Amino acid sequence: MNSELSVVIYILIILSSHKNEKLTSAQISEKISVNPVRIRRILSSFKKVGYVKTKEGIDGGYVLSVEPHDITLQDIYKLVSSKHLQIPKPSMSSKGHLTAEIDMQLTSIFIECEQQLMRQLGKINLGSMLKLMTDCQLERTE
């Protein structure tokens, strides 16, 4: 897992919490301290899959185009992660029987871990995260 996943989740949660309000990359940047260029790059890829809409110009900005409850963390992970958990390189296996056996075991372990991760991420959506955040904020103000 990498920081890109966290940044994407931050951005999408911010857009979710400002429903029907266009936010610029600069506004999002102020909230999460991430460079606006990075935010625009991330949102460009999420626009391609239909999660985000944009409007250019003075009144421009980004808006979430999918209901937060319809986007799971698994969906986001699949879009952000270009490769699976690191499985040993095959070249290591040629160094001997012991390394080949360890590589096989690690491959099995990593595949199982990724499957468990995907199942868990599939249970959580942006809407539930947003609700939890809202509930926590309400508790702090009481």
Side-chain angles (χ1 to χ4, degrees):
M1 200 156 339
N2 57 33
S3 67
E4 191 80 0
L5 179 63
S6 298
V7 171
V8 170
I9 292 170
Y10 297 153
I11 293 168
L12 294 178
I13 289 286
I14 289 169
L15 291 176
S16 296
S17 67
H18 290 82
K19 194 171 182 154
N20 300 320
E21 179 184 343
K22 293 181 209 94
L23 296 177
T24 65
S25 57
Q27 290 170 314
I28 297 169
S29 173
E30 287 177 23
K31 295 178 184 300
I32 61 173
S33 300
V34 172
N35 187 302
V37 173
R38 185 174 179 197
I39 291 170
R40 286 191 294 274
R41 183 182 50 76
I42 289 168
L43 287 173
S44 171
S45 65
F46 279 80
K47 179 182 176 186
K48 289 176 187 172
V49 295
Y51 286 178
V52 174
K53 290 182 185 176
T54 60
K55 181 178 184 267
E56 304 286 327
I58 295 173
D59 271 353
Y62 299 91
V63 67
L64 195 65
S65 59
V66 176
E67 286 298 317
H69 283 86
D70 293 335
I71 303 173
T72 67
L73 298 188
Q74 181 187 65
D75 298 331
I76 298 167
Y77 180 80
K78 286 179 181 178
L79 290 169
V80 170
S81 299
S82 59
K83 53 187 169 185
H84 298 287
L85 295 176
Q86 295 296 311
I87 296 173
K89 296 176 181 156
S91 61
M92 296 274 298
S93 300
S94 64
K95 293 186 179 180
H97 180 68
L98 178 63
T99 56
E101 180 61 33
I102 293 170
D103 285 352
M104 285 182 2
Q105 288 183 30
L106 287 175
T107 298
S108 176
I109 291 166
F110 290 166
I111 289 170
E112 183 178 334
C113 288
E114 181 116 51
Q115 290 169 345
Q116 288 179 17
L117 173 65
M118 295 302 278
R119 280 192 297 275
Q120 187 62 31
L121 293 177
K123 296 176 185 177
I124 305 164
N125 63 57
L126 291 180
S128 63
M129 289 184 70
L130 188 59
K131 182 179 179 340
L132 183 61
M133 284 177 27
T134 305
D135 291 348
C136 289
Q137 288 172 350
L138 288 174
E139 288 175 9
R140 284 190 216 132
T141 59
E142 293 176 353

